[in-house]
Amino acid sequence: MLTKKLSNRRIVVDILVLLFGIGAWIGINGIYVQLPLLVNTAPEGWNLPAYMVMLVQFANLGPILYTLYIKYTAWAYDKLIIYGMLIAAVISTFVLAFVYSKTSVILGTMHSTALLSLMFVTAIVGCTSSVLFMPYMRNYREIYLVSYLVGEGLSGFIPSIVALVQGVGGNPECRNVTKEGSTEVKFEAFYPEPRFSTQIFFIFIGVLLFLSFLSFLGLNKLMVAIGERVKLPSSMETLPTDTKAPPSYKTNAGWTMSKHTYYYLLSMMALVCFLGHGTLPSIQSYSCLPYGNVGYHLTVTLASMAGPLAMCLGFVIKSPKISLLNGLMGLIIILSCFVLFLAVKSPNPPLQHTWMGELLVVVSWILVNGLIGFIKMGITTLFRPDPGRGLYYTGVATQIGSLIGAITTFVLVNHAKIFVSYSPCDTVH
């Protein structure tokens, strides 16, 4: 059976497509898993995740501009646009490796301008990939779409694995830096070095992005890949992501969904993304860092793996029941309230300085990220057979929820003063 399946496809094309998929989000995911190291030196401190989440939302300007481009232009240059975006991602990531620590003053406040501006470039690539990279895969046989999705999942998984190997060197030590003759005793946190630097990590991500660019070049130039392309008939049915197709709840193509369920699932998707893309990533440092640098590092890396792994269940569970999604949504809300409670209680959350507290916060974040990934996969699966605009509206709900969550939390983190940073040396005398 396995031999028959493999004989129906070209493994070389699978590898090229997988590497192409990796290039979608690996830039932004790579920066995100470095947060446990970056927040200690960045002038934004614990607020850095909130700035990053906001910039990712602003990066949705990319898909908006691309949508306007295809709507008002008769020329289709998708291939050239993808080349340009992958090259921009490669260059920005390699440059980032050498200038990520550079800062400058904006409106009287010091900011990580190099890190945030170059991250914005990679974020545009990631956001635009959903409307450009995946639709481009229509040019190839449907069996290769799974390889692309696996590659896209690995764009979060690979940086997390490498970051786990890199480590954070351990929790900080408080060292006496009192000046001779001074009456004021002063301690500062000293953070041990990881196994290899952030610079080497970003160079590694840049190499993977370059491989992604070469893979896309191979898909368009190698005869083995060209031979796996499909020729779309002129009478082809409307594609699921066609924005000109009418909205539909019941269609003559055999797909049915009640109007109530249709809007309910879109609302659920918006709420999940409000939490998973906007709110929770912005407050993660406040929720985790009081339990130690190691706990924060494990949370970021393992939770980043949980989402892609949960989405892989989509290959096993073809059509999840709405009752299951309802139950999991309830768990997400409970876990989200818990990690938000921990963030609000910073700098002195419950069970601080205990292994139980550290374990609890890590497990909670892994579970909430995994459940969010599963629900997103489940809702997308239910809308996938829709020959109307179901998947299009799913994307709209995703962006609206993410944007509202990011703006709301950014204001709370930076202006409401609800969240307070923890310094490991404040209690040392």
Side-chain angles (χ1 to χ4, degrees):
M1 182 65 72
L2 179 62
T3 307
K4 185 178 179 181
K5 285 185 176 180
L6 293 177
S7 64
N8 194 34
R9 60 198 306 146
R10 303 290 185 186
I11 300 300
V12 173
V13 180
D14 277 307
I15 294 171
L16 292 175
V17 171
L18 186 143
L19 288 171
F20 172 49
I22 285 176
W25 285 97
I26 197 167
I28 192 69
N29 287 330
I31 296 172
Y32 184 74
V33 296
Q34 286 295 287
L35 273 175
L37 295 172
L38 295 172
V39 293
N40 297 326
T41 56
E44 294 84 1
W46 288 22
N47 292 349
L48 183 61
Y51 280 92
M52 288 178 59
V53 170
M54 275 298 295
L55 278 178
V56 171
Q57 297 310 312
F58 285 134
N60 283 306
L61 181 65
I64 291 172
L65 291 175
Y66 175 74
T67 301
L68 293 173
Y69 163 76
I70 60 175
K71 185 174 182 179
Y72 295 107
T73 308
W75 300 279
Y77 293 119
D78 286 1
K79 181 169 67 175
L80 297 180
I81 295 173
I82 294 174
Y83 278 135
M85 297 193 78
L86 287 174
I87 290 172
V90 171
I91 294 173
S92 62
T93 306
F94 276 120
V95 172
L96 181 66
F98 298 94
V99 303
Y100 70 90
S101 59
K102 302 294 183 183
T103 58
S104 59
V105 178
I106 300 177
L107 300 176
T109 307
M110 192 72 76
H111 285 289
S112 308
T113 44
L115 172 67
L116 293 173
S117 57
L118 290 169
M119 189 214 75
F120 182 66
V121 176
T122 62
I124 288 179
V125 175
C127 292
T128 312
S129 68
S130 59
V131 296
L132 187 58
F133 288 23
M134 190 182 294
Y136 191 83
M137 289 308 300
R138 293 177 186 159
N139 296 315
Y140 299 88
R141 293 169 58 207
E142 189 178 349
I143 56 174
Y144 295 109
L145 181 59
V146 174
S147 300
Y148 174 84
L149 293 173
V150 170
E152 199 174 75
L154 288 174
S155 69
F157 196 80
I158 292 175
S160 300
I161 290 290
V162 177
L164 269 179
V165 175
Q166 179 188 26
V168 289
N171 289 320
E173 301 173 5
C174 292
R175 293 186 176 180
N176 192 333
V177 292
T178 306
K179 293 183 179 178
E180 189 176 348
S182 175
T183 57
E184 182 184 356
V185 179
K186 188 177 181 182
F187 287 86
E188 283 186 2
F190 171 76
Y191 294 91
E193 293 294 321
R195 291 185 181 89
F196 53 87
S197 67
T198 297
Q199 181 184 68
I200 293 174
F201 181 88
F202 285 148
I203 290 174
F204 170 76
I205 298 297
V207 170
L208 285 180
L209 276 165
F210 184 63
L211 286 176
S212 181
F213 167 76
L214 292 179
S215 299
F216 185 66
L217 187 68
L219 283 173
N220 289 284
K221 299 296 183 182
L222 296 177
M223 291 306 299
V224 65
I226 294 173
E228 295 298 292
R229 288 182 181 175
V230 295
K231 294 182 179 179
L232 301 179
S234 57
S235 59
M236 183 180 176
E237 288 184 10
T238 305
L239 289 165
T241 50
D242 190 346
T243 58
K244 296 178 182 178
S248 57
Y249 320 105
K250 296 181 181 179
T251 73
N252 55 12
W255 184 84
T256 59
M257 181 182 286
S258 70
K259 189 174 182 179
H260 173 267
T261 303
Y262 192 91
Y263 286 118
Y264 175 71
L265 288 175
L266 290 179
S267 300
M268 186 186 290
M269 177 66 92
L271 178 58
V272 162
C273 294
F274 173 89
L275 294 169
H277 294 176
T279 302
L280 298 183
S282 300
I283 57 93
Q284 192 173 45
S285 54
Y286 292 94
S287 179
C288 302
L289 266 173
Y291 293 95
N293 228 36
V294 174
Y296 183 34
H297 171 68
L298 290 173
T299 298
V300 170
T301 50
L302 295 177
S304 295
M305 294 182 199
L309 285 175
M311 288 182 176
C312 289
L313 293 175
F315 299 119
V316 180
I317 304 173
K318 297 299 181 184
S319 184
K321 294 184 181 297
I322 294 177
S323 58
L324 173 63
L325 297 181
N326 287 336
L328 296 179
M329 190 69 224
L331 281 175
I332 287 175
I333 292 173
I334 293 171
L335 287 168
S336 297
C337 289
F338 176 69
V339 297
L340 279 166
F341 167 75
L342 296 181
V344 171
K345 296 300 288 184
S346 175
N348 301 303
L351 298 175
Q352 191 179 20
H353 307 305
T354 67
W355 66 267
M356 190 179 295
E358 190 171 344
L359 177 65
L360 192 61
V361 73
V362 172
V363 171
S364 298
W365 275 97
I366 291 173
L367 286 175
V368 75
N369 273 37
L371 291 172
I372 286 172
F374 182 84
I375 285 192
K376 284 168 57 184
M377 175 278 302
I379 294 174
T380 304
T381 300
L382 291 173
F383 276 107
R384 189 175 294 147
D386 178 16
R389 299 177 68 178
L391 286 180
Y392 171 73
Y393 284 123
T394 301
V396 171
T398 298
Q399 300 305 335
I400 290 175
S402 303
L403 181 61
I404 294 174
I407 293 174
T408 303
T409 317
F410 183 83
V411 172
L412 292 175
V413 167
N414 290 281
H415 301 291
K417 307 301 179 186
I418 296 174
F419 305 100
V420 181
S421 301
Y422 163 78
S423 174
C425 300
D426 283 348
T427 56
V428 179
H429 300 287

